[in-house]
Amino acid sequence: MNTNPALLRGMTGRRDALRLFGLAGAGLGLAACGVKGQKAAPPKQNDVQKYWAGKTKKGHLNFANWTLYIDKNRTPLKEFTRQTGITVTYREVISDDPQWFGKIAPQLQAGQSIGYDLMVVTNGLEFTKLVELGYLVPLDHSQMPNFTKNVGAAYKQESFDKGNVYSVPYATGLTGIAYDPSKTGREITSIQDLWDPKFKGKVGMMSDVQEIGNFGMFAVGIDPEKSTPDDWKKAGAKLQEQKDKGIVRKYYENDYIDALSRGDVWLTMAWSGDIFQQNLNEGSNLKFVIPKEGATIWTDNMMIPKTADNPVDALMMMDFFYRPEIAANLAEFINYVTPVPAAKDVIAADAAKATGSKKKTLESVASSPLVFPTDADYARLRHYRSLTPAEEKDYTAVFQHITAG
Amino acid sequence: MRRRLAPYALILPGGLWLAIFFVVPMVVMLSFSLMQGDVVNGFSLTWHWQNYSEALSDYDDQLIRSLVYGVIATAACIVLAYPVAYWIAFRGGARKTTFLFLLLLPFFVSFVLRTFSWKFLLADDGIVLSPLKHAGLLPQDFHVIATGFAVVAGLTYNYLPFMVLPIYVALERVDPKMIEAAQDLYASPAQAFARVVFPLSLPGVFAGVLMTFVPVSADYVNATVLGGTNNTMIGNIIQNLYLVNNDYPQAAALSFTLMAILLIGIFLYARALGTEDVLEVATR
Amino acid sequence: MTDTKEAGTPVGADLAAIELNGVKKTFHAHGDAVAAVKGIDVSIGEGEFFSLLGPSGCGKTTTMRMIAGFDEPTEGEVFLHGRNVVGVPPNKRDVNMVFQSYALFPHMSVFENVAFGLRRKGVAKSEVARRVGEMLEIVDLKGREKRRPRELSGGQQQRVALARALVNRPRALLLDEPLGALDLKLRQAMQVELKRIQREVGITFVYVTHDQNEALTMSDRIAVMNDGRIEQLGTPREIYERPATTFVAGFIGTSNVLSGTVARAGAGRAVIEPGLGERIVVPCTAAPGEEIELTVRPEKIDVRSDPPAGDGCALRGTVTEVVYLGMFTNYNVTTSTGAEVVVFVQNVSSADDVATRGDSVWLSWDPRHSYVIGA
């Protein structure tokens, strides 16, 4: 997930646009990919050595990322090239996890290069599939000194990739509630506010099954990360009630931000960085809260596809993002949570040096709980539950029944 | 010998194109619709016909809704398109082509873009609804976007030219002498229209209905952009099953179910209208 | 509508079926005014077979459309049985039309096509069936009721069009070049057929055509039209033998037009003397010194090698072409005055041609066959 540029926002949600055009292509890709699955066994320590043995730096690297997920000048990449001599071809080709997975899966299955050595995928169903299908390279931590030194403790133990076997975080975001205080007329603090009949027809929910499922579970007091199929049904009933009462305006992809700024909805499930950016760019006064029942935290992760041509260069790039000054630069621009706590001091130092509006912005970034959540915030944040394919089917059935009414 | 083969050579490029890009995917999809499995463990062909019954029972609501939206939008298209086509055909004079071009002009802009622009135009506090609400003409909570009406209206708007053009072509071919003959035989202008012009334009209406109803029923853009919580169409479901759930067998089964329903519908419609007759008149 | 049509205005015995009074029609297109009909006065009698004959663009079709009600006159009046119908729409006029391309309704059976008018008039079902049946019998289409127009031959379609109009028993039937789409043989057969049907039903026929043979064969009277006006109105014989204008002379059949200065006159005759022993005698009142034009039909002229005796017409010339045509032989002769004359000589005996190309010959004819033009 990433920031939602004003330009794109004017026209379309990024997910919408690509989905609309991508269907035909996916169908053809499917025909080519055949129907074989290939479940992979978990890697052993010598798999790491086996893979990296004899691999050398090539001096070049192809990087696939989400749209507007780095500053316009590509500062971190230029700095990387300056320091290592490795050139980077950077393309913002990812706008949606399922789409991206659909695009690369056939090539990975056929053992062909996907044209990229480094890519960013959100933890979630597609990430799990990439791991289970053995499409990712196990990372050699001995070559990642910055990561080892600077990563926040919480990011080493994420349930979807404990011990960072395949991935390291690029940025992290929260799914909470965004609202327009001038419309709601009161502070929004609770998930239950999304069920308030006073806001009938003015509540936005997300159509993504994991996102909406999590919120349904928060609403009935269940920790989504530890939920059981029975819990899903309870959450589903709660969400169904919300829909039947006409409280929900629509199940949004990422176009909720437009609906919120247009006044079509007054409060909605939202991603933290989007709101921060919207306020910054449009001067709007939207608010983002972590509801008292909890919110989810998700992570966009860097990883190396198994068919990468330049894995050593990719690994170096990954590690480079863990230098505090690089992490700070990234956070200043994208306004999502950085996995490098030391970046906060760097931003604060930058703010002290800066002047005028730039100074103000940097100060607000440094003090923003959305970029640097407090320990209390972290205590309320929950992760996505990882799902096996069988579970995924049941889980999806429960929540898609609601969103695809 | 060469001369005999020449006609076949003519259909070769088109035939190959269709074979590669239509027939092959169709066969692939058909086999998918009878498979079981998931994307991680792979799919295997088990002749799992239940995919079809499951698709029907799980998504009957959306299927029926799609057909209902299709019927309403198609009917609205006929009502809107016929007078326009009639006017251009019989009153357009030397500027017929200009009028047709104007009609098609909006369609040089991307279909998705046009539909998205509706969201801004018709936003709850947007430039159309806001003044009306302030004037007290509409209740504060009135909205157009995220309703079934918006979806049907969007469908109607987007597919209107597909109705206008065939009706226009059919009306263009009606000899104005035919109208004079009817009037000469004591028919009032209204009777001349009802008894002669309208029946003669039916092939155009028939073609228009085919060209709108089928894509409208399978559309997913309008429901995505303009719909709300209970406006999901079958196209959205199929898209979701493919791209989000990666449940290819279910998606394929649903696609074929939709196709079968549309084909049967068209067949019954053709029978009811006596297409053979209609088409013969059209090709006269 | 039904009432006014079936009962109509009381018809007096002396009332014309159709009367046009100073009718003019001007079309406006692209800012230009085009006068299609420049003033027509005509009265068509009850039961008459009346033809409007003329080249395309002469205004004959516009005239007919004004009678039917598809066009309204810019000026003048149109009477149907004494009732001024200007402003009355076509569906309320008691005339029916047979269109040039028939304009049959392709989506209806023969029966339905013919029944169309009766049904619009609200005629009872059984009555419709009876009258349609009768009419199909008259036009010899019994047994084809269920056919669609496209399944019929051209001649059959023509007869459906006729039946469709006649079944309504209109005060007048308007036919717009109805035989134009048929081949020659069928056309000739249909001419006879049309005449028979007209006699049988006794309805006024107004027949628009550019084919002089058709007009001459079928009509009681013909109006020859040119440039929006009637050039001559008369019986086929009058029109043929005594064309009133050069245009009519040229348009109807083959006609020889001669001219000259009157040398002598008297006793209702004028004589032109182009050369020695040559004379053209014309029954007219022209005075000596006057320049006149006259016509002679080709079949009225004789070709001979000696100068004719008596005081008939005599003219010298040279044969430029001889064409044997079976029943007669066609001679083209250039006269001493330089005029081109066509002569038809009947082949009564199997003898050789009376002259061959290049021969010097004398042409002669009875003065009764000389018609002065514009008299």
Side-chain angles (χ1 to χ4, degrees), chain A residues 182-256:
Chain A
S182 69
K183 297 275 171 52
T184 58
R186 68 168 199 241
E187 293 286 303
I188 299 300
T189 56
S190 164
I191 293 267
Q192 299 304 332
D193 287 323
L194 293 169
W195 269 259
D196 189 338
K198 259 175 64 190
F199 302 136
K200 189 177 168 190
K202 292 293 180 184
V203 170
M205 298 293 281
M206 286 185 177
S207 63
D208 184 283
V209 287
Q210 285 213 309
E211 296 281 20
I212 193 171
N214 291 339
F215 266 53
M217 286 184 258
F218 284 135
V220 293
I222 295 163
D223 177 352
E225 214 174 342
K226 296 173 185 136
S227 61
T228 65
D230 277 345
D231 295 337
W232 305 339
K233 286 190 186 117
K234 270 185 238 164
K238 180 77 175 168
L239 290 163
Q240 185 68 46
E241 172 203 322
Q242 182 197 28
K243 178 186 179 185
D244 291 344
K245 284 185 177 163
I247 294 168
V248 181
R249 161 84 167 212
K250 182 175 179 172
Y251 297 100
Y252 292 96
E253 302 199 326
N254 72 339
D255 47 341
Y256 66 85

Side-chain angles (χ1 to χ4, degrees), chain A residues 212-331:
Chain A
I212 193 171
N214 291 339
F215 266 53
M217 286 184 258
F218 284 135
V220 293
I222 295 163
D223 177 352
E225 214 174 342
K226 296 173 185 136
S227 61
T228 65
D230 277 345
D231 295 337
W232 305 339
K233 286 190 186 117
K234 270 185 238 164
K238 180 77 175 168
L239 290 163
Q240 185 68 46
E241 172 203 322
Q242 182 197 28
K243 178 186 179 185
D244 291 344
K245 284 185 177 163
I247 294 168
V248 181
R249 161 84 167 212
K250 182 175 179 172
Y251 297 100
Y252 292 96
E253 302 199 326
N254 72 339
D255 47 341
Y256 66 85
I257 187 77
D258 311 316
L260 185 64
S261 46
R262 278 199 306 265
D264 287 358
V265 295
W266 296 347
L267 67 166
T268 178
M269 289 174 68
W271 293 316
S272 52
D274 282 2
I275 304 306
F276 194 92
Q277 279 265 315
Q278 176 80 0
N279 285 342
L280 214 60
N281 295 339
E282 317 267 310
S284 52
N285 238 333
L286 306 176
K287 287 196 170 177
F288 182 91
V289 292
I290 299 170
K292 62 179 187 231
E293 293 86 348
T296 39
I297 181 165
W298 41 261
T299 310
D300 283 344
N301 307 283
M302 292 182 276
M303 57 202 70
I304 302 170
K306 70 164 184 185
T307 55
D309 297 322
N310 312 300
V312 175
D313 310 76
L315 196 68
M316 288 173 74
M317 177 88 247
M318 269 185 188
D319 190 52
F320 191 72
F321 277 109
Y322 279 85
R323 297 183 177 209
E325 70 278 13
I326 299 299
N329 178 289
L330 196 63

Side-chain angles (χ1 to χ4, degrees), chain C residues 277-297:
Chain C
E278 292 181 304
R279 61 192 169 272
I280 304 169
V281 184
V282 193
C284 73
T285 55
E290 221 175 296
E291 189 81 20
I292 59 169
E293 264 191 323
L294 64 129
T295 68
V296 194
R297 290 291 173 189

